[in-house]
Amino acid sequence: MAAALMISPSPASAAIEEVKNAVAGTPPASVTSGTCVSSTGALICFQPYGDTWWVKDTKADSASAVADWEVNSGSAIRIGYCVNSLGNGMWGKCVHDYVEGSLVMAVARTWDKSEDTWTNSYNVGYWSA
């Protein structure tokens, strides 16, 4: 799964892409009432306690909703995706373990696996792990 990320690490700090498939779940109201980012077909929210991405597919189509994220702890950069292929209207979650105090950035996007096409989003969310 290759895509242009929000901020590309320099070759010296090249990061390996982490890809997780979301599992079904229901986010707590405190998460969805906080800072979330959306684009056509996707809504993403970050839960700092537990380093959990909540991703909702918001469009009935063949594309999956994706949290396209990057985490910068100052000494390392991690990049990855939380892919929700559960279907329209469904929430999915991906749990990670980020360094406390890291800067977390992400965009909500969609990815159509059959056509290997991405939507672009310019709404960037910022959080602290």
Side-chain angles (χ1 to χ4, degrees), residues 62-127:
S62 61
S64 298
V66 179
D68 180 352
W69 58 264
E70 178 176 309
V71 175
N72 186 337
S73 66
S75 61
I77 294 175
R78 291 172 60 184
I79 57 175
Y81 309 95
C82 175
V83 182
N84 177 347
S85 300
L86 301 169
N88 182 40
M90 300 294 295
W91 279 102
K93 71 176 181 176
C94 298
V95 179
H96 291 272
D97 186 16
Y98 302 138
V99 174
E100 295 303 313
S102 296
L103 174 62
V104 179
M105 299 170 284
V107 294
R109 302 176 74 189
T110 61
W111 177 58
D112 189 324
K113 182 178 180 176
S114 64
E115 296 182 21
D116 194 24
T117 57
W118 286 90
T119 59
N120 291 314
S121 175
Y122 299 99
N123 297 326
V124 180
Y126 298 92
W127 301 267

Side-chain angles (χ1 to χ4, degrees), residues 2 18 22 24 26 30 35 63 76 81 101 104 127:
E18 300 176 33
T26 303
S30 61
T35 303
Y81 309 95
V104 179
W127 301 267

